[in-house]
């Protein structure tokens, strides 16, 4: 009987330790119910003047913040990402190619991704980009 009592005491001590000093209950973690992120489009001019900077935006819908943004352009050029809000990013670049593709991939806190791309045409006679 003493052996059973000692085992019960050890079991109780182990349960209290597992629940913390306050003896609170362990609650199961609920699965995330958020929808996967999506990027509907890249907003900005489709025709730009050669050699001048321009700015494009992509807005993520759904998903779990915080988000990371990865921008690229098919002509190998680079720009910089400027965070405007938690769901809006911009990309400024200048290119000397006549046509190239701008792409963005957004990853949410749960590792889910969404992508969008836009074909950009450039010419010497196009209007300057409006910022």
């Amino acid at each position: 009987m003493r052996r059973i009592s000692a085992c019960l005491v050890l079991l109780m001590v182990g349960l209290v330790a597992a629940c913390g000093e306050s003896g609170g209950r362990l609650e199961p973690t609920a699965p995330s119910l958020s929808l996967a992120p999506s990027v509907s489009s890249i907003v900005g001019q489709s025709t730009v003047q050669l050699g001048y900077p321009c700015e494009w935006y992509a807005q993520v819908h759904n998903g779990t913040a915080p988000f990371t943004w990865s921008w690229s352009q098919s002509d190998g050029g680079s720009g910089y990402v400027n965070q405007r809000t938690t769901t809006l990013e911009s990309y400024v670049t200048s290119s000397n190619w006549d046509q190239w593709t701008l792409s963005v991939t957004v990853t949410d806190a749960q590792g889910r991704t969404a992508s969008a791309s836009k074909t950009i045409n450039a010419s010497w006679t196009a209007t300057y980009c409006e910022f």
Side-chain angles (χ1 to χ4, degrees), residues 56-58 69 71 81-85 87-91:
W56 293 272
Y57 302 95
W69 302 76
W71 289 88
V81 176
N82 175 20
Q83 186 168 351
R84 300 270 180 146
T85 70
T87 59
L88 192 63
E89 295 280 327
S90 63
Y91 190 80

Side-chain angles (χ1 to χ4, degrees), residues 86-101:
T86 57
T87 59
L88 192 63
E89 295 280 327
S90 63
Y91 190 80
V92 178
T93 185
S94 58
S95 176
N96 288 317
W97 282 37
D98 291 341
Q99 185 179 67
W100 46 277
T101 303

Side-chain angles (χ1 to χ4, degrees), residues 40-55:
S40 55
S41 64
I42 296 175
V43 179
Q45 289 180 224
S46 295
T47 303
V48 300
Q49 190 170 53
L50 277 167
Y52 287 89
C54 203
E55 190 169 28

